[in-house]
Amino acid sequence: MVKTKVAHSVSITHIKHNPLRISMHLLSGDHTNPIYIIVENVRSLFNVGAIFRSADGVNASGVYLTGFTGQPPRKEINRVALGADETVPYLYEQNTLTAIQYLKAQNVQVIALEKTDTSVNFQTFDYQSPVAVVVGNEVEGVRPQTLDACDHIVHLPMCGQKISLNVSVASGIILYKLLQAVGH
């Protein structure tokens, strides 16, 4: 059994063999914006906490934690999230591709935030609603097989020597762009 927190700090227990069973609850959040974030293999619990806080800031419908990404309850996550980990719906799914496939089956546009040869500037991309964004590991980024499963890949333009921002900072930027794109 796996415990998953959903809106209003209600704890739902679901069967491990059907980990996305409650995802319809995430998708039906009529009081939230149609924005999801998939967090793949993010090592730092502080980064996870900051992503929860940004997800709360845009009133996102849900957070999918995948791979070895840490999950609540953890004091490190809660310290940075300032309680957003208790109010933003989230689901842990070991396999990122399973989460992506489920969201796509619900007509959610899935984009990856990663700099590649074919990625486009996040500011000029035409987002659809509902939309999910995949963010990846602090060092490795989003895995190649995950990139292949996404509908599109966008990147944040970098003008300095580094090719990327911290995953929690980049997540905050893209989440607010998605909020603008869905009409807020």
Side-chain angles (χ1 to χ4, degrees), residues 62-126:
V63 175
Y64 285 85
L65 304 171
T66 68
F68 59 73
T69 301
Q71 56 188 304
R74 293 291 300 264
K75 67 180 179 184
E76 299 91 343
I77 293 173
N78 188 265
R79 182 178 303 142
V80 178
L82 293 179
D85 55 319
E86 298 172 2
T87 59
V88 174
Y90 74 90
L91 179 71
Y92 176 76
E93 169 55 51
Q94 174 65 35
N95 188 333
T96 307
L97 300 180
T98 301
I100 290 172
Q101 289 167 356
Y102 182 81
L103 287 168
K104 283 181 155 188
Q106 305 305 313
N107 296 314
V108 175
Q109 179 187 48
V110 179
I111 61 168
L113 182 60
E114 185 69 50
K115 177 66 174 155
T116 70
D117 291 339
T118 60
S119 61
V120 298
N121 186 317
F122 84 108
Q123 296 178 54
T124 60
F125 185 75
D126 185 24

Side-chain angles (χ1 to χ4, degrees), residues 125-129 131 175-184:
F125 185 75
D126 185 24
Y127 301 94
Q128 298 172 9
S129 180
V131 61
L175 285 171
Y176 275 89
K177 179 61 177 176
L178 296 179
L179 181 65
Q180 179 186 36
V182 301
H184 291 275

Side-chain angles (χ1 to χ4, degrees), residues 151-168:
D151 297 316
H152 302 281
I153 305 169
V154 299
H155 67 264
L156 301 177
M158 299 293 291
C159 299
Q161 298 299 309
K162 299 299 176 183
I163 61 168
S164 67
L165 294 172
N166 172 278
V167 65
S168 67

Side-chain angles (χ1 to χ4, degrees), residues 25-55:
H25 173 78
L26 295 178
L27 287 166
S28 66
D30 56 12
H31 66 287
T32 60
N33 289 310
I35 299 168
Y36 301 87
I37 186 163
I38 301 170
V39 185
E40 179 183 67
N41 295 328
V42 170
R43 188 167 302 284
S44 168
L45 297 175
F46 299 110
N47 283 337
V48 175
I51 291 168
F52 266 101
R53 194 158 167 197
S54 293

